[in-house]
Amino acid sequence: KPKRCLPIQCGGVGGPLAISPLLFHPNAKGSQIIMDLAQKTVKRQASFCNAITFSNRPIALYEQVRLKITKKQCCWSGALRLGFTSKDPSRINPDNLPKYACPDLVSQSGFWAKALPEEFANEGNVIAFWVDKKGRVFYRINESSPMLFFSGVRTAEPLWALIDVYGLTRGVQLLDSEIVPPDCLRPRSFTTVRSSSLRREADDSRLSVSLCDLNLHAHRHTLHLASASSSSTCPIPQNSLNSQQSSLLPPALESDLHFHQLRGAHIKTLDEQTVARSEHTREERTLVFTDRPLRTGETVFIKVTKSSPARSGSLSYGVTSCDPAMLRPSDLPYNPEALVDRKEFWAVCRVPTPLQSSDILGFLVNQEGEVILSHNGTNVGMQVCVDNSRPLWMFFGLHGAVTQLRILGSTHLGDPRTTSSPSSPSSSPHTPSALGSGSSDPVLNGGMCSAAYCSSAGGTTPNSPVSLPKSPTFPSGHGAWPDECSICYENTVDTVIYACGHMCLCYTCGLKLKKMSNACCPICRRQIKDIIKTYRST
């Protein structure tokens, strides 16, 4: 059993060691680092990198640098990078700091660091690491037994702590440091007892692969020569998954969105309700919901983390005015499209393109009530138009090839109509691309979407064609009659759709639309039972 570690004596008179409290260096830090006034807590504000930090003073041999993980962001891979440097951070220009500690900094002389295993990067964990007189670096998790991290550190010169708040780890807090008595470190603690766990960490497929995870000390001089021309760029992608994902996502994501506790019987949620996994080989009850309603103008980003090529079928998704807390697992059907028969508002769609692992989907409900889909940063377009006058929850059905989803986060824009970036796509309701009349359009042919409106007061009842709900597409204040047909944009609107009651078509386009299979209203996606030509009194 390891002996009790001794606390650092801060400025003690006559003591063997007088060290000031350990803080983060106030100036030498990455561009994404936000530091509190006490210099004890740092947080990465965006992205997954550019978050290198240092200690404000040199670290003594056997002095434990103790960190508490205060924030975890599950949309990335990789975790904390920990180590030491013989370079005084006060002489480091923050503008010249690279994106990554590994391999950018460790390829330079005087920097040593390695990635912490991902399974230890959980909120609340306390990580301690230190270096002994032989240049070996050890770490422990929550006062567990010490484990050998890496070796090769030059201890003949002062060493500062190096902490890269990378990937999954978004925020850390420095705790009071402690001295580890040298006799606590017995050789057998790192031979037979820990060799298996070290091999298990090295073989874990979930760990991100980077140059600093390998023992390349013998080749550091070669890497240093290769990176001497530009120390601020990374010649080899440190983590291709994060780099690809970063290019498909906005720089800042809100992480308050999770999956609801109510879910299908064959779904399991993991990682603080941000991951949904199908637990059945067949397509069974696999619906999951968001834990809160969506905000107008909010884009939700979902990542496919597991897929099965042997299975066919695309991802089902949709929005509903039904609070999931009012449902029971037995209320959820095997087929999500059966939900449109319920009394609440349900709109069910399927992603029109095949999905693979690591694909990222964005779902936006804009002010016009349009649900707009993006796939790997590419705007797919409007999929369905919904009633956003009431709270709407989003849901997903893990049917077909998609077997696991992760909520990456969301962004919220005040007016999404002014946004044209791929990560927050928008589509004008008056463009032919959104409401075109071609039969190849998945929105018009009705093969991808179906919806049902709530029959309660204030909603549109199925048997009341004279109840004319306010169309989310046409602005109020321009009279009760829209001027142009939503399909041809040439003829005047003179036709009402039965049974939803929307007036948005000319009679010619209405006849063509009615003849299509599964014809539905361009506004609300309800099935067209008939079209009625109308006449103005003037």
Side-chain angles (χ1 to χ4, degrees):
K1 182 178 180 181
K3 295 184 179 179
R4 173 70 179 168
C5 299
L6 306 178
I8 293 289
Q9 299 295 327
C10 299
V13 179
L17 194 63
I19 301 179
S20 60
L22 188 64
L23 307 172
F24 285 106
H25 197 280
N27 301 320
K29 60 182 186 294
S31 60
Q32 295 298 322
I33 283 293
I34 299 176
M35 187 180 301
D36 68 340
L37 295 177
Q39 298 174 224
K40 298 284 285 185
T41 302
V42 294
K43 180 181 178 181
R44 188 183 71 247
Q45 60 180 340
S47 186
F48 63 94
C49 55
N50 283 310
I52 296 174
T53 62
F54 302 91
S55 61
N56 67 326
R57 62 164 174 81
I59 305 298
L61 296 180
Y62 300 101
E63 178 184 356
Q64 284 191 104
V65 180
R66 300 173 64 242
L67 298 167
K68 182 178 181 180
I69 298 178
T70 58
K71 184 68 176 177
K72 179 181 178 181
Q73 188 170 13
C74 297
C75 64
W76 306 115
S77 61
L80 270 175
R81 274 72 169 124
L82 305 174
F84 295 94
T85 178
S86 59
K87 306 294 183 182
D88 187 349
S90 300
R91 298 183 179 182
I92 296 177
N93 186 349
D95 297 333
N96 294 334
L97 280 175
K99 292 183 178 181
Y100 319 109
C102 307
D104 294 25
L105 279 183
V106 298
S107 63
Q108 304 177 33
S109 177
F111 293 92
W112 303 270
K114 188 178 177 181
L116 186 74
E118 283 187 26
E119 65 256 37
F120 298 146
N122 295 321
E123 288 186 14
N125 275 359
V126 175
I127 295 96
F129 67 101
W130 64 94
V131 61
D132 68 1
K133 63 181 180 180
K134 296 181 180 180
R136 298 178 301 178
V137 177
F138 301 92
Y139 76 99
R140 60 159 48 118
I141 309 295
N142 297 331
E143 302 300 329
S144 63
S145 299
M147 290 178 280
L148 180 62
F149 204 14
F150 59 91
S151 59
V153 178
R154 295 197 304 266
T155 59
E157 46 195 330
L159 295 171
W160 285 261
L162 188 162
I163 302 159
D164 187 0
V165 188
Y166 177 85
L168 291 170
T169 310
R170 189 172 182 183
V172 294
Q173 176 186 3
L174 268 177
L175 306 178
D176 293 335
S177 57
E178 297 177 344
I179 286 290
V180 182
D183 55 354
C184 281
L185 307 179
R186 298 177 181 176
R188 71 181 179 90
S189 299
F190 314 103
T191 54
T192 57
V193 177
R194 289 295 167 189
S195 60
S196 60
S197 63
L198 289 173
R199 283 196 302 269
R200 188 164 57 250
E201 292 170 16
D203 294 337
D204 195 337
S205 60
R206 293 175 296 170
L207 301 183
S208 58
V209 179
S210 59
L211 292 181
C212 65
D213 293 332
L214 309 175
N215 292 324
L216 299 180
H217 301 292
H219 301 286
R220 272 193 178 149
H221 63 285
T222 305
L223 293 173
H224 175 57
L225 292 176
S227 61
S229 59
S230 176
S231 60
S232 62
T233 59
C234 179
I236 302 175
Q238 194 278 337
N239 189 315
S240 59
L241 179 60
N242 281 348
S243 299
Q244 176 192 8
Q245 195 164 306
S246 179
S247 64
L248 302 178
L249 293 173
L253 283 177
E254 299 178 10
S255 57
D256 64 327
L257 190 65
H258 305 272
F259 286 117
H260 199 279
Q261 292 183 353
L262 185 278
R263 58 187 184 272
H266 303 108
I267 281 286
K268 183 177 182 181
T269 54
L270 310 166
D271 210 348
E272 300 176 352
Q273 301 286 114
T274 61
V275 175
R277 184 174 69 194
S278 173
E279 294 286 293
H280 208 282
T281 57
R282 299 191 303 272
E283 296 183 0
E284 301 289 350
R285 301 179 190 265
T286 55
L287 281 175
V288 287
F289 297 78
T290 56
D291 63 343
R292 63 164 174 81
L294 304 183
R295 300 186 289 265
T296 301
E298 179 179 23
T299 304
V300 178
F301 292 95
I302 301 291
K303 181 179 180 181
V304 178
T305 51
K306 283 187 181 180
S307 62
S308 176
R311 300 169 64 181
S312 60
S314 185
L315 177 70
S316 298
Y317 70 94
V319 295
T320 178
S321 62
C322 179
D323 186 347
M326 306 302 293
L327 296 173
R328 297 170 298 179
S330 58
D331 295 332
L332 304 179
Y334 292 94
N335 182 9
E337 294 180 359
L339 292 168
V340 300
D341 295 329
R342 291 180 58 91
K343 66 177 183 178
E344 308 92 358
F345 170 75
W346 294 82
V348 184
C349 297
R350 287 183 181 266
V351 176
T353 56
L355 298 176
Q356 299 176 350
S357 296
S358 301
D359 279 1
I360 295 177
L361 300 171
F363 300 90
L364 165 68
V365 180
N366 63 18
Q367 291 183 347
E368 286 77 26
E370 298 170 326
V371 178
I372 301 173
L373 171 67
S374 65
H375 182 199
N376 289 337
T378 302
N379 188 352
V380 180
M382 185 186 75
Q383 303 299 296
V384 65
C385 195
V386 300
D387 178 13
N388 61 351
S389 62
R390 64 195 72 191
L392 294 176
W393 284 260
M394 196 162 191
F395 61 89
F396 301 91
L398 275 68
H399 291 261
V402 177
T403 58
Q404 184 168 300
L405 291 177
R406 178 186 291 275
I407 294 182
L408 300 180
S410 64
T411 59
H412 182 241
L413 301 176
D415 187 2
R417 292 172 294 181
T418 60
T419 304
S420 59
S421 63
S423 58
S424 297
S426 64
S427 176
S428 171
H430 301 295
T431 59
S433 62
L435 292 172
S437 58
S439 60
S440 61
D441 193 330
V443 176
L444 272 185
N445 63 25
M448 301 302 293
C449 303
S450 55
Y453 272 103
C454 178
S455 60
S456 59
T460 305
T461 59
N463 298 320
S464 179
V466 295
S467 176
L468 298 178
K470 179 182 175 182
S471 168
T473 301
F474 303 120
S476 60
H478 296 334
W481 298 80
D483 293 330
E484 296 178 344
C485 171
S486 296
I487 293 182
C488 67
Y489 287 92
E490 294 180 357
N491 300 327
T492 303
V493 171
D494 60 0
T495 300
V496 63
I497 299 176
Y498 178 74
C500 67
H502 279 114
M503 286 191 67
C504 56
L505 306 173
C506 67
Y507 191 62
T508 303
C509 292
L511 288 175
K512 294 179 180 179
L513 184 59
K514 180 185 175 183
K515 294 177 181 178
M516 299 174 63
S517 60
N518 298 322
C520 57
C521 171
I523 303 302
C524 66
R525 302 298 147 214
R526 291 193 62 188
Q527 183 180 1
I528 296 178
K529 296 184 178 180
D530 200 357
I531 60 169
I532 304 171
K533 188 172 182 178
T534 59
Y535 301 89
R536 303 194 188 196
S537 60
T538 58

